[in-house]
Amino acid sequence: AGPSVPLWTEQEVDQFANDRGMVISFSTLGPGYRAVARAKHDESMILGYVEGFLRPAGKILHLDKMQVFQPMVQRLKRQQPDSLDFGGVSFGIGLLLGYTCLLHGKGNGCQVAEFLAIDDQAFQHKRLVRYYKRVGFQVVKYVGDGITDIPDRLVWGGCGTLMKEDIDVLMQKWANLMDLMKSRTQQ
């Protein structure tokens, strides 16, 4: 896990993103939330987003969707070559968006973050599970087609690998990763 480091604030995340040519917006509607990364020089260029909702039962931050649009990322890098430098850490945009959501969850009393790596294509499912394990999530179980999985399928809208972790654990790990990104990009 590594040594404990100070957690980042929303302002520090926003400043770090801004220094890399993007802006992060965060909005809520009822229990739902959405974090969006856009190109700073052209905010019509959406680089990625994370959305989900707060589940009061169990104080859970439900991470429903996360997507980074690689064609837009590549377009921004062509237009602004000095942008999106994350010091070789491949999680950059997704990590900043996810951390913003963790801050929201923690600020609203959530203790656990959950994500379902949807299983609609075998290759993509394996990639999602690998990615979320690398950023600190633990596998809980596979949600399949069985009758006992119906409640989970209703919550998640499909089959896949259910993953979760304590928000405090994720925030510590992700703050370490963001510190690494920042140290590698400072001149």
Side-chain angles (χ1 to χ4, degrees):
S4 182
V5 298
L7 298 179
W8 285 37
T9 64
E10 184 179 349
Q11 293 77 20
E12 288 171 316
V13 172
D14 288 344
Q15 184 61 55
F16 187 75
N18 197 281
D19 291 346
R20 273 134 199 89
M22 60 182 199
V23 292
I24 295 176
S25 61
F26 189 85
S27 57
T28 60
L29 180 60
Y33 63 85
R34 183 176 175 109
V36 180
R38 302 172 192 274
K40 184 167 77 171
H41 80 289
D42 177 359
E43 292 195 25
S44 71
M45 287 177 62
I46 297 176
L47 305 171
Y49 73 97
V50 175
E51 63 185 23
F53 56 91
L54 306 177
R55 287 188 1 223
K59 299 182 178 176
I60 296 168
L61 178 71
H62 181 111
L63 297 157
D64 210 29
K65 293 180 186 168
M66 186 260 206
Q67 190 163 6
V68 174
F69 303 110
Q70 288 305 322
M72 283 297 184
V73 168
Q74 296 308 316
R75 185 171 146 202
L76 176 57
K77 286 181 179 181
R78 283 192 304 275
Q79 292 177 0
Q80 307 276 317
D82 293 335
S83 65
L84 304 180
D85 179 5
F86 299 113
V89 176
S90 60
F91 308 123
I93 295 169
L95 193 67
L96 295 173
L97 288 169
Y99 193 88
T100 300
C101 296
L102 292 178
L103 284 168
H104 173 67
K106 185 157 178 72
N108 281 281
C110 293
Q111 297 167 346
V112 172
E114 285 189 352
F115 176 79
L116 184 80
I118 200 80
D119 190 1
D120 54 3
Q121 297 175 333
F123 171 75
Q124 183 65 9
H125 175 249
K126 287 178 183 173
R127 223 165 106 193
L128 285 170
V129 171
R130 188 172 58 245
Y131 174 87
Y132 282 94
K133 277 181 165 179
R134 284 183 65 200
V135 296
F137 280 85
Q138 305 297 317
V139 171
V140 176
K141 67 178 180 173
Y142 185 82
V143 175
D145 291 325
I147 195 160
T148 58
D149 292 323
I150 289 173
D152 285 318
R153 282 199 318 272
L154 289 172
V155 168
W156 291 101
C159 298
T161 300
L162 180 59
M163 306 179 82
K164 76 178 193 176
E165 185 54 89
D166 289 343
I167 287 178
D168 289 338
V169 171
L170 289 173
M171 288 182 77
Q172 187 65 62
K173 181 170 181 128
W174 295 3
N176 276 313
L177 282 170
M178 292 187 305
D179 284 348
L180 177 65
M181 287 191 299
K182 189 173 184 177
S183 70
R184 287 182 175 179
T185 58
Q186 289 174 336
Q187 302 302 341

